[in-house]
Amino acid sequence: MELRALDSRPVLIDQVYERLVDAISVGSLPPGHRLRQEHLAADLGVSRQPVSHALAMLKNAGLAVERGVRGLVVAPVDPERLNQLFQVRAALDGLAAGLAAGRVAADPSLDTAELRTCIEHGLRAELERDIATAVDWDMRFHSAVNALSGNPVLSEVTEAQRPQIRRVMVVIKFDPAIAERIWQEHAAIADAICRGDSERAGILARDHALKAGEETRQRLIDQARANAAKVKRGTKRDETRSKPARTVS
């Protein structure tokens, strides 16, 4: 049987999807932004077909929603929903770190260098305020812990959450103090794993995710309040300007 050449379109679809996820994560496509196929296709230099498939993937990932006549828009960020996501992530991260430490305890020759590499490069990017790169190294650190756990299901489950997690990581990393502390927590998790301390690694990983979820939730709430206050002040100024001047008799 003669083998036919494979269709390269799925690869292009994935590339378009990843580019859109990145744009949403860093705020280039903010919440409420209309996602028009023709405009996105022109911006990315591709046809509308891969964009159409990528937009469907964004909907499935919860990053895009239908808004009636406006069509598909970037989904708003729900602080409570994201905190719930981190609660689930805490359980998974704790399990992964505990399993990874257990495997290192049983076999000290396991290669844990990737953990240190992620911490070194991630902290450097953080200090340089290269937020997108810092997020990439953060995601890579957690992927390395999952790989060390020896349980491939953990990687499969967390991969489904990746777009949402990436989006909120950008939010929290805009605070330099919190961002640097996160890498200190990563280093503590890595130390526990390398020592083979399963209990300590699991606790640190769970606490790390829970704290990140709560801080992200509060930051989003504070941002929403600040934006609402700004809009209210702008409305009052407009009302003041529109009032007719009183004549002096």
Side-chain angles (χ1 to χ4, degrees), residues 207-225:
D207 290 349
H208 170 72
L210 289 173
K211 189 184 299 182
E214 181 55 38
E215 288 175 340
T216 304
R217 170 186 172 275
Q218 191 57 52
R219 185 175 181 85
L220 289 170
I221 290 174
D222 292 343
Q223 285 179 347
R225 288 173 177 168

Side-chain angles (χ1 to χ4, degrees), residues 15-239:
Q15 291 175 341
V16 171
Y17 172 71
E18 291 296 336
R19 189 65 59 86
L20 293 177
V21 169
D22 286 344
I24 291 172
S25 297
V26 301
S28 299
L29 296 176
H33 183 88
R34 291 184 68 182
L35 298 170
R36 301 179 179 178
Q37 285 187 32
E38 61 276 16
H39 291 175
L40 294 173
D43 289 341
L44 295 171
V46 298
S47 68
R48 293 178 59 174
Q49 186 175 24
V51 173
S52 176
H53 287 290
L55 291 178
M57 293 168 68
L58 288 180
K59 287 181 64 176
N60 289 336
L63 295 179
V65 292
E66 293 284 354
R67 283 290 184 263
V69 295
R70 296 194 67 217
L72 198 65
V73 302
V74 175
V77 183
D78 182 346
E80 299 302 331
R81 172 73 176 176
L82 291 176
N83 192 38
Q84 292 165 357
L85 176 61
F86 270 97
Q87 289 173 348
V88 174
R89 179 70 182 265
L92 296 174
D93 285 358
L95 175 60
L99 289 174
R103 291 187 70 224
V104 171
D107 181 5
S109 67
L110 281 176
D111 187 2
T112 59
E114 176 72 359
L115 300 178
R116 301 298 181 192
T117 298
C118 293
I119 292 169
E120 178 185 350
H121 289 282
L123 182 56
R124 182 185 304 155
E126 211 77 71
L127 295 174
E128 294 173 352
R129 305 305 298 142
D130 184 351
I131 293 175
T133 300
V135 169
D136 288 339
W137 283 109
D138 196 319
M139 301 287 287
R140 186 167 166 177
F141 173 82
H142 289 285
S143 295
V145 174
N146 286 337
L148 272 175
S149 76
N151 186 337
V153 177
L154 279 170
S155 297
E156 295 168 7
V157 173
T158 54
E159 176 62 21
Q161 304 170 355
R162 184 181 58 80
Q164 292 284 3
I165 293 294
R166 179 175 174 78
R167 187 182 195 187
V168 296
M169 277 187 179
V170 172
V171 172
I172 201 168
K173 286 183 182 296
F174 273 103
D175 186 330
I178 293 177
E180 290 180 37
R181 192 208 68 223
I182 285 174
W183 287 103
Q184 294 170 357
E185 294 174 0
H186 284 163
I189 294 168
D191 287 343
I193 291 173
C194 293
R195 291 196 311 269
D197 189 342
S198 296
E199 182 178 3
R200 182 66 176 160
I203 290 173
L204 289 173
R206 282 192 297 273
D207 290 349
H208 170 72
L210 289 173
K211 189 184 299 182
E214 181 55 38
E215 288 175 340
T216 304
R217 170 186 172 275
Q218 191 57 52
R219 185 175 181 85
L220 289 170
I221 290 174
D222 292 343
Q223 285 179 347
R225 288 173 177 168
N227 290 338
K230 185 177 180 180
V231 170
K232 187 175 181 179
R233 288 195 299 269
T235 301
K236 286 184 177 180
R237 284 196 299 268
D238 291 341
E239 290 175 350

Side-chain angles (χ1 to χ4, degrees), residues 6-17 50 53 57:
L6 292 172
D7 190 343
S8 63
R9 283 177 297 177
V11 175
L12 181 58
I13 292 170
D14 289 341
Q15 291 175 341
V16 171
Y17 172 71
H53 287 290
M57 293 168 68

